[in-house]
Amino acid sequence: SGIVNAAFRVGGDLGKLVMTTYGAVLGAKLFMVAVMLGLAYFNRFIAMPRLRNFTAHDGPAAKSMPLAAGLCLSIAAEWGVGLLVLGLAALLGITAPPQ
């Protein structure tokens, strides 16, 4: 909604968007959403299959601990970035849009 709101406000002059606090906050939010989606992709399609495919015949159960710990760390990072996105969305809601 921030992109659409900004597009209505600035029309065809993107310079107005880039040089404002609103544009900076919107850019930061979009970047953090991209980071969060990247982490989610990694967790779902890379880390989880690796952990799932690890079987008991691959060695001692302790060998799977780094995989599980890495997944936990990545999930925690995804949560943290998600909270940051919510904070940026709140800040975007109280920041004056470009005119």
Side-chain angles (χ1 to χ4, degrees):
S1 68
I3 296 171
V4 173
N5 187 28
F8 282 124
R9 299 283 183 160
V10 300
D13 187 10
L14 291 178
K16 288 181 182 178
L17 181 61
V18 174
M19 300 307 233
T20 62
T21 303
Y22 186 89
V25 174
L26 179 59
K29 180 184 169 199
L30 290 173
F31 177 75
M32 288 295 117
V33 167
V35 168
M36 191 170 65
L37 288 173
L39 285 167
Y41 178 87
F42 173 80
N43 292 339
R44 175 66 179 93
F45 296 108
I46 297 171
M48 281 298 296
R50 284 181 188 168
L51 190 59
R52 191 179 302 123
N53 291 334
F54 191 85
T55 60
H57 71 275
D58 288 331
K63 284 189 174 182
S64 68
M65 292 304 291
L67 293 173
L71 179 61
C72 287
L73 182 61
S74 184
I75 290 170
E78 186 181 348
W79 267 85
V81 173
L83 291 174
L84 184 58
V85 167
L86 290 175
L88 288 169
L91 182 60
L92 198 59
I94 61 171
T95 303
Q99 301 296 326

